[in-house]
Amino acid sequence: MKIQLVLADDWELRGDGSGDMRVIQFATIRRLCEVYEACGLRASFNVEVLQQLVHRRLSDENPELGRLAAEWEEVVHDVYQRGHDVQLHLHPQWTNARYEGGRWSLSGSWSILDYESDRVEDMILEGKEYLEELLRPLDPSYRCISFRSGSWCIAPNGHVLNALAKAGIVFDMSIAEGLHYDTEHVQLDYRVIDEPFLPYYPRMDDARRIAAEPQSIVCLPTHTFSSGKPLARGAARVLRKRTTLGSQLDRFVAPNDVVIPNRGYSTDYSRRNWDNRRGTATSRLRVSDLSALSFGQMRQMLTDIRRRARATGWAVVPVVLENHTKDIGNFVPLERLAKYISAAPDLEVLTLTDLAHNIEGGVYPIRWGKNR
Ligand SMILES: [Zn+2]
């Protein structure tokens, strides 16, 4: 059995438009590529395109934005030429961006689910066409084939999946089991989903659900895993007596796992519901976001992936990981992970494009219908 990991990475400024692009995007992506290349691995960058389009649009009045946009393109060219993949990521708050006194003011909704279907279609098509125009001079076969939504917003919604399918996107990776946001900018709830691990055809109005029939787009959830030790049964029982909803227990178990409203775009911690039925606490799920994990947590992540992959009985199992270039403060865990992956006989690294080819080529069973 082979596990096919995708080292995906959302490449962008911060959700409110702040941050120095040269520092948290350009310098960091180069360093990350060096780390992966030293071990023969290829990353897949979900580049945030609406930010880039706004920089280009306002470059006549603000030459500094034009210079940044040109450097952005140079970096993306360079990364792609070095063998890494580049795919589509959209943060719709950039659609209403204003630039004043060297600062961005982004007043558009952060969630693509809040936009009318025409706007959504335009955003997706514009982003896809921009990337294809940018990269086809380097590689005529380049296609924009995958999507991760900004702030993970993909469901429920009646038109976003249709717009992606219409644009030729092969698969979406915006579902991540356990995510739950109720913040000023984003509301979503992926605590109860039909399939947390394997590819499936989604219901076109709710990507959290498996469809009754094959559809024109596939969902592959981004991996999440339970980290931290669950409380011992006895301790859980004692605490449960003192609380009605388990919320205090959650706080006790997971003091650091809170969604910070102002950083909701990249704060990927979440909690699994208290399981009353079994009466035990409590796993907590976190997105496999490499920028937020120690090497020990990365090993826990891989243990979880191996256990679930073995249970499938499949010859090859695809797994999408996450990263945020802008949040990598320390490259040492990533260096150790890259070495570990390159030496592990059961792990191989694919790009998002490789994964799309495998989906189109029928390499993996795609869940739908009665087996949902
Ligand atoms: Zn993002």
Side-chain angles (χ1 to χ4, degrees):
M1 192 260 311
K2 280 263 187 210
I3 294 164
Q4 300 182 322
L5 296 174
V6 177
L7 301 170
D9 185 308
D10 296 351
W11 191 63
E12 60 205 356
L13 285 172
R14 298 202 182 93
D16 62 0
S18 67
D20 181 335
M21 218 188 274
R22 293 188 175 99
V23 176
I24 67 173
Q25 291 196 254
F26 305 161
T28 323
I29 198 175
R30 289 198 170 101
R31 174 106 187 257
L32 181 60
C33 287
E34 284 165 12
V35 168
Y36 286 146
E37 286 161 14
C39 295
L41 308 180
R42 295 192 297 160
S44 296
F45 293 99
N46 299 313
V47 300
E48 206 293 309
V49 167
L50 294 174
Q51 159 197 323
Q52 170 67 357
L53 294 175
V54 170
H55 278 71
R56 278 161 53 101
R57 199 175 301 136
L58 300 182
S59 61
D60 284 346
E61 310 97 88
N62 302 280
E64 167 63 6
L65 300 184
R67 283 192 290 275
L68 284 167
E71 280 181 52
W72 189 102
E73 291 185 348
E74 282 166 27
V75 171
V76 169
H77 266 182
D78 179 47
V79 160
Y80 189 79
Q81 265 175 326
R82 289 158 67 163
H84 306 287
D85 200 3
V86 171
Q87 293 295 336
L88 184 61
H89 185 50
L90 298 177
H91 274 278
Q93 60 262 42
W94 284 96
T95 53
N96 263 351
R98 282 180 300 124
Y99 188 68
E100 285 162 353
R103 293 174 68 91
W104 288 105
S105 156
L106 309 183
S107 56
S109 168
W110 288 37
S111 170
I112 199 169
L113 310 178
D114 291 339
Y115 292 78
E116 300 292 327
S117 77
D118 292 359
R119 296 279 310 276
V120 169
E121 280 190 21
D122 289 348
M123 272 184 240
I124 290 169
L125 265 186
E126 198 182 5
K128 176 193 161 75
E129 284 168 3
Y130 170 72
L131 285 183
E132 291 182 345
E133 270 171 38
L134 182 67
L135 293 170
R136 280 190 179 158
L138 302 179
D139 173 8
S141 72
Y142 173 80
R143 280 194 304 151
C144 176
I145 46 72
S146 73
F147 183 69
R148 183 180 281 130
S149 191
S151 310
W152 308 90
C153 298
I154 198 73
N157 182 273
H159 49 259
V160 177
L161 285 181
N162 281 302
L164 290 170
K166 198 168 149 190
I169 299 294
V170 176
F171 71 99
D172 175 81
M173 53 186 145
S174 309
I175 292 288
E177 187 189 23
L179 278 188
H180 179 220
Y181 291 140
D182 188 4
T183 70
E184 177 193 348
H185 293 299
V186 177
Q187 295 84 41
L188 62 78
D189 190 348
Y190 301 161
R191 288 176 295 182
V192 180
I193 61 174
D194 285 351
E195 172 54 62
F197 189 62
L198 299 172
Y200 61 94
Y201 292 113
R203 246 178 56 186
M204 295 305 273
D205 60 350
D206 190 346
R208 298 171 299 184
R209 307 278 163 253
I210 294 178
E213 303 287 339
Q215 302 294 329
S216 46
I217 190 166
V218 166
C219 281
L220 178 55
T222 294
H223 183 250
T224 66
F225 69 108
S226 171
S227 78
K229 289 193 179 115
L231 280 184
R233 211 172 259 270
R237 206 178 298 122
V238 168
L239 265 170
R240 219 172 121 232
K241 280 187 183 156
R242 295 185 190 159
T243 163
T244 46
L245 295 172
S247 59
Q248 291 174 32
L249 177 61
D250 271 351
R251 274 201 290 277
F252 181 83
V253 172
N256 299 317
D257 280 9
V258 291
V259 173
I260 303 162
N262 293 330
R263 299 189 66 237
Y265 51 89
S266 71
T267 305
D268 293 319
Y269 311 121
S270 62
R271 283 167 267 173
R272 179 171 256 177
N273 272 341
W274 164 265
D275 186 345
N276 279 316
R277 187 168 42 78
R278 281 185 299 183
T280 57
T282 162
S283 55
R284 45 193 171 116
L285 294 179
R286 62 162 60 209
V287 173
S288 296
D289 181 340
L290 303 180
S291 69
L293 302 180
S294 67
F295 183 64
Q297 289 167 327
M298 291 171 179
R299 293 293 304 272
Q300 286 184 343
M301 169 190 90
L302 290 170
T303 300
D304 180 80
I305 289 169
R306 284 177 163 132
R307 179 182 56 77
R308 291 157 90 176
R310 267 196 302 272
T312 64
W314 296 5
V316 285
V317 179
V319 177
V320 175
L321 304 178
E322 170 61 326
N323 200 357
H324 281 93
T325 311
K326 64 176 185 268
D327 294 330
I328 303 173
N330 177 1
F331 281 84
V332 173
L334 283 158
E335 288 165 359
R336 294 182 67 187
L337 178 71
K339 279 191 192 127
Y340 181 89
I341 290 174
S342 65
D346 62 333
L347 304 177
E348 63 183 27
V349 168
L350 296 189
T351 63
L352 291 165
T353 296
D354 297 331
L355 186 55
H357 288 154
N358 285 353
I359 288 172
E360 291 175 323
V363 170
Y364 323 112
I366 310 292
R367 293 188 66 194
W368 60 276
K370 286 206 180 72
N371 67 355
R372 69 188 188 270

